[in-house]
Amino acid sequence: MRSDTNRPDTVATQAPDQHESVRLGSLEHYLAFHLRMAQCASFKAFKRRSGDCSLKPGWFALLSLIGDNPGITPMALSRASGRDKSTLTPVLRELAANCMIERQELKGDKRSYTLSLTAKGKCELAVLATHAIQHDREIEEIAGSDKDVLLDLLRRITAQFD
Amino acid sequence: MRSDTNRPDTVATQAPDQHESVRLGSLEHYLAFHLRMAQCASFKAFKRRSGDCSLKPGWFALLSLIGDNPGITPMALSRASGRDKSTLTPVLRELAANCMIERQELKGDKRSYTLSLTAKGKCELAVLATHAIQHDREIEEIAGSDKDVLLDLLRRITAQFD
DNA sequence: TATTGTTATACTCTATAACTATA
DNA sequence: TATAGTTATAGAGTATAACAATA
């Protein structure tokens, strides 16, 4: 979506014809709509930036959680990431197949197992994290002195609707 | 995801066992991560709130754009919403099948056609909009006096990565 | 040649329900 | 009975590429 500072209520289209601009209309003033647009644009940019990585950008949060909580179980990971346990199975399988994570016996409960990053996983995560930091720096620059306000607001929105 | 004001670096899990809390770790300070969490939580809440509507919550933006731009073409709608034209086809087909939108000949270009809401479409959109307004009010309350700052930041993030 | 809309296809993310092994 | 993890399945949401009709 393109923004037009002279006409903040419209979006320029790519072909300048009779449909050159579209009124965002009532959408323009919804916080939730702009939250969606901003997240979508940010995630697409992160995907573009990290496209050459061996780790998929959508897995960054999961990998980070494992890296920061070695020995975490799939269930704990499911709860921490807010995703159903069934969505983790294929991801963990592929990560294990690519030697990014290791599974080990969980003493005291044979139903479960623990997860941790391999040396390769740590290395690849570090590469992806570099892109993530650069990406986040771009958002920080936009926010400027309002960075902490933005972070606090986003945390409170998440907590509110949880 | 649950927040714990006493331990902002952790997430409580639902079963209080030895895995009670998980360190968010490096994730904690990424603006992009919290943008994603906030959007996800907000959208889920909007879906919950509008679950009894005949219009799907994900279609609100599209319907609003048609309502505010009667006579818009699918291509213009595609550009305005930032989605590929091919993703619009099934949505517009279902909306037309449910008598929410009307398609009319576009004079001067037989390849395309114009879109507008039917009376029923306007009515159902109004119901959905009521939920959207209530939902947005919740976010406004969180933001308080920072509402305008937040809106401006989100717009600039969208524009930056566009 | 370029553009509009459609179709075919596929990938990501996500969820629910049923299943198994274990607790 | 309840829980951990897996499997099967499904549904949004999105994208690319190829196509027919038209410009």
Side-chain angles (χ1 to χ4, degrees), chain B:
Chain B
M1 188 165 292
R2 240 146 237 89
S3 82
D4 181 339
T5 48
N6 293 325
R7 294 149 79 194
D9 205 29
T10 62
V11 198
T13 58
Q14 280 153 354
D17 57 12
Q18 73 265 35
H19 300 294
E20 186 176 353
S21 64
V22 170
R23 291 175 50 79
L24 275 185
S26 56
L27 242 33
E28 183 66 22
H29 302 287
Y30 283 106
L31 280 168
F33 171 72
H34 289 283
L35 184 60
R36 193 162 153 80
M37 291 290 105
Q39 197 283 314
C40 188
S42 160
F43 194 61
K44 276 183 191 166
F46 180 51
K47 275 200 278 197
R48 275 198 301 273
R49 187 194 291 276
S50 61
D52 58 336
C53 281
S54 52
L55 291 172
K56 298 187 189 175
W59 296 355
F60 179 64
L62 233 41
L63 265 306
S64 283
L65 283 169
I66 297 173
D68 287 321
N69 298 276
I72 192 173
T73 62
M75 267 312 291
L77 193 56
S78 158
R79 289 189 278 254
S81 62
R83 304 216 231 132
D84 191 87
K85 57 194 165 85
S86 71
T87 69
L88 261 41
T89 304
V91 181
L92 295 178
R93 177 165 36 209
E94 191 170 335
L95 285 171
N98 287 99
C99 304
M100 299 293 181
I101 59 169
E102 271 178 343
R103 315 187 204 212
Q104 285 183 303
E105 274 186 19
L106 176 60
K107 308 286 182 193
D109 192 341
K110 287 185 180 172
R111 295 171 305 176
S112 188
Y113 55 83
T114 67
L115 295 162
S116 55
L117 297 182
T118 61
K120 184 186 175 196
K122 284 176 191 170
C123 180
E124 298 294 337
L125 176 58
V127 175
L128 188 57
T130 301
H131 292 298
I133 288 164
Q134 285 172 353
H135 175 68
D136 227 65
R137 201 105 69 197
E138 277 197 65
I139 305 179
E140 281 179 23
E141 279 168 22
I142 295 166
S145 59
D146 290 323
K147 186 210 156 182
D148 292 336
V149 174
L150 179 58
L151 196 56
D152 181 57
L153 285 173
L154 294 174
R155 281 191 182 125
R156 284 195 280 141
I157 290 169
T158 306
Q160 167 77 15
F161 292 122
D162 185 28

